Amino acid sequence: MPRLEIVDGPDKGKTFPLEREETLIGRLAYCDVILPQKNISRQHARLVRSGSDFFLEDMDSTNGTFLNGKRVRNRTKLRDHDLIRVYDVTLLFRDAVEPEPPAVQDRNSNGAAAGVHDTSGGMTTETLQPSAAPLADLRRNVGVNAYEKLRTVLEINRTLGSSLNIDLVLPKILDSLITVFPQTDRAYILFPNEETGELQVRGEKRKDEGTMITSSLGPISQTIANRVLSRGEAILNADGLDDNQFPVSDSVLDFPIRSMMCAPLIGPMQKPLGIIYVDTNDPYERFHEDDLEVLLSLAATAGQAVEYARTHEAQLRMDRRQRELATAKQVQLHFLPQSRPRVSGYRFFEFYNSAEEVGGDYYGYLTLPDGRLAVTLGDVSGKGITAALIMARLCSEVRYRLVSAATPWDAVNELNLELCRPENEAWFVTFVLCVLDPQRHEAMLVNAGHMPPIHRRFVDGEVREIGDEVAGPPLGCDASVRYRPVCVQLDSGDALLMYTDGINEAMNPERNVYGGKRVRQALRSGPKPVDELCQSLLADVRKFTQNRPQNDDICLVGIQRE
């Protein structure tokens, strides 16, 4: 009686008699063949009887149904010993009637065989039959029967599923190929170079005996390799390379190859990832169509393993990068002030949040030798790692210049000259310096291309931007610029705020920007204490953006005379 047998996966060895006109395969309880894995569709595939024949159909399953390594896209007739793969379960189809051997292909008037194209299952295979060979030669078993091939294929499946390191798996695949096809003289696995696209050998296996000359690449026709990779088609040549279709001249070596097979490694995304190539120089042990079917099955499984391994490696790289960025963020935060300054009669507030793991915004506090307090805020062009590195350097440069220059504004001019040096020409920084004199209750401001600081009066809530008329270009743009300070008097309760463009350029889902007008309005109507005032501004920005991810770093510093 016809039946299905699970030969790989859960319930291995379980059989299902095919007694009905339709046999349903899926994970639901009413299916005839119940496979409860969650990656198998509820109604995954079905077998339909038509007379004495059985046909396999995929029922629009998520992960597809594969017959002998090829994805089933149309109703496909089954043959005895066909392998049906449903996700990670492999079923063997057994028919009560043994199939008759395929007829020898008709020859044309010149005695040459015509090419046979098989497009079932979405993958094209081309078979070039020999021009003259006895039938006995075409059907030689070469010492390995179908059961041995099946056993080896399943062993390879288990091997591929046991490791995500492709460099460990590829040699085992090649060893198994030699076991399945003992007539093989050479077996190669090749992947295209990610930059050039040129095929490169990632694994090779050769017989120790034989008269073949040793080569690092072997006699692989570039025409064949590129065709298999670009078209995703498998090729069988049973009696030497055809000079018209596959020129031997483009091989790395010129050898009288008697028979070869080449199949694409197809991953779950149905894109060729590389190729498997085997050949033999033995004229009596050629490869045949059933050999190509086995190779296709191996290539399909190996392709999945390759794609899973690459995905795993990409995930490991991403995890490593995330850990490195987390460390970089901690290092960067150490460049920023660890505590607020203690200045009698004044309160301070600061907020810093980068758009990515690390950012290019900067702020700092530094007590000058004369007792005044320098408050700095800057925004490095760009985001991410590069901006963070420039920010770290800027932090050190600012501190050095402020303690060594004659005046704080001279320090800004020296900093500009440093960033204008030729090796730093790709950098520029918007920067604002506030020198607070707590005795005179005044602040001297120097602006290098930054948004003007905002002064909010306590008595009437009036807000005004300070120093825009004397602001210069960003640091690093023009070495001839000389920056000048502007003075603002701070009465009791007055606040001075400096911020980066992550606030005024924040976007909502409709890509409208928050804008300077909203900044001034939020400060005008906000609470009196500087910390509550700044928090209300940040809350208003979040409300406007509807918690949309930041498109730039945010930094906010507030100073208030008590």
Side-chain angles (χ1 to χ4, degrees), residues 16 83 133 150 353 404 468 518:
F16 303 88
L83 291 175
L150 173 61
N353 191 34
S404 62
D468 194 30
R518 285 190 176 87

Side-chain angles (χ1 to χ4, degrees), residues 56-58 71-77 119-122:
L56 176 64
E57 294 179 358
D58 180 76
R71 187 160 188 165
V72 175
R73 302 192 184 276
N74 303 302
R75 174 181 284 205
T76 306
K77 184 178 178 179
T119 57
S120 63

Side-chain angles (χ1 to χ4, degrees), residues 384-451:
I385 294 293
T386 302
L389 292 173
I390 300 173
M391 175 273 212
R393 178 179 174 183
L394 177 66
C395 178
S396 301
E397 287 286 348
V398 168
R399 297 180 68 86
Y400 170 72
R401 303 294 175 181
L402 283 174
V403 297
S404 62
T407 66
W409 18 103
D410 287 332
V412 177
N413 289 321
E414 292 178 6
L415 189 61
N416 179 54
L417 291 175
E418 174 65 24
L419 293 181
C420 284
R421 293 173 58 181
E423 60 269 28
N424 301 328
E425 62 181 5
W427 305 349
F428 68 89
V429 179
T430 64
F431 182 80
V432 62
L433 166 68
C434 172
V435 179
L436 176 66
D437 188 334
Q439 302 302 321
R440 297 182 178 182
H441 302 298
E442 64 181 21
M444 302 295 291
L445 298 170
V446 179
N447 192 337
H450 203 80
M451 281 79 64

Side-chain angles (χ1 to χ4, degrees), residues 196-230:
T196 65
E198 181 181 354
L199 281 168
Q200 296 179 336
V201 176
R202 284 290 302 274
E204 62 177 306
K205 182 75 173 180
R206 307 183 186 200
K207 282 186 178 179
D208 295 333
E209 64 275 16
T211 59
M212 293 294 106
I213 302 173
T214 303
S215 167
S216 61
L217 290 178
I220 299 176
S221 166
Q222 296 298 324
T223 302
I224 292 176
N226 292 331
R227 178 169 169 176
V228 170
L229 186 64
S230 63

Side-chain angles (χ1 to χ4, degrees), residues 488-499:
V488 58
Q489 190 71 35
L490 296 177
D491 296 330
S492 295
D494 284 4
L496 189 65
L497 296 102
M498 300 176 289
Y499 61 96

Side-chain angles (χ1 to χ4, degrees), residues 13-35:
K14 187 175 182 180
T15 60
F16 303 88
L18 304 177
E19 301 172 331
R20 304 172 58 182
E21 294 300 311
E22 178 179 314
T23 301
L24 189 61
I25 302 173
R27 72 168 190 264
L28 291 182
Y30 62 77
C31 292
D32 303 292
V33 179
I34 301 174
L35 305 176

